[in-house]
Amino acid sequence: MTDHITPAPAARTYIVFTDGSCRGNPGPGGWAFVLTDPDGMTSERSGHDPDTTNIKMEMDAVIHALQAVPEGAAVHIFTDSQYTINGATNWAPNTWMKNGWKGAKNKPVKNQDRWQQIMALMETRQVTFEHVKGHSGNPGNERADTLAQAASYGESAAQ
């Protein structure tokens, strides 16, 4: 059961599970996604950053996943990051962008470069998000987590 309500994915939708991992915060990190295309073919991708934060890796997973989906396509993203969901669906479009990328106390939004990438990619795709509880046995989330953790060590577990 999810705790974030979104419309049901369309029939011809790319389904994506994303996750980020960081050993220390900041520290070495990894991002990953598991993507199933509308024809049922699944692919996996992950990447490493030697000095990062968990939030940046969560966001990078979404960025790379959206880049892997063709423009104009419908994509439904499952993530265990409420921060990423709220930022992409509420804070960025409803506040930060309207305020010149300023947040609370008129300070620049953290990770603005990544938020701008996410928002630009969302403009050319039909994106919905759904929260999935991390480490709860969801196979897609568990696989993305395994890939992201391996990537945090600079290793690839992608098949």
Side-chain angles (χ1 to χ4, degrees):
M1 180 180 226
T2 61
D3 54 3
H4 186 18
I5 307 297
T6 59
R12 298 286 302 161
T13 300
Y14 288 78
I15 303 297
V16 182
F17 288 86
T18 65
D19 207 359
S21 178
C22 198
R23 294 181 294 112
N25 204 18
W31 58 264
F33 68 83
V34 178
L35 181 149
T36 302
D37 72 20
D39 296 321
M41 298 297 293
T42 299
S43 59
E44 303 175 340
R45 197 169 306 152
S46 62
H48 173 76
D49 189 321
D51 185 27
T52 190
T53 65
N54 189 67
I55 289 296
K56 288 179 181 179
M57 294 296 88
E58 295 280 0
M59 295 171 73
D60 281 359
V62 170
I63 290 166
H64 288 280
L66 288 173
Q67 290 171 337
V69 174
E71 289 187 9
V75 57
H76 191 74
I77 298 174
F78 291 88
T79 178
D80 58 15
S81 172
Q82 286 281 22
Y83 177 78
T84 302
I85 293 170
N86 289 329
T89 63
N90 185 11
W91 304 327
N94 297 325
T95 304
W96 298 336
M97 293 169 73
K98 292 177 182 176
N99 293 340
W101 290 100
K102 301 280 194 227
K105 300 177 185 171
N106 207 31
K107 291 186 178 181
V109 171
K110 290 183 180 180
N111 305 310
Q112 179 180 334
D113 59 334
R114 285 173 169 86
W115 285 120
Q116 288 173 328
Q117 286 181 353
I118 289 171
M119 299 315 295
L121 290 161
M122 286 178 61
E123 283 181 14
T124 58
R125 290 151 184 85
Q126 302 165 44
V127 182
T128 54
F129 286 89
E130 189 167 338
H131 182 257
V132 60
K133 186 176 178 185
H135 311 288
S136 63
N138 179 293
N141 178 257
E142 295 292 340
R143 182 63 183 154
D145 178 69
T146 296
L147 293 167
Q149 285 189 38
S152 76
Y153 286 93
E155 302 169 1
S156 176
Q159 296 179 356

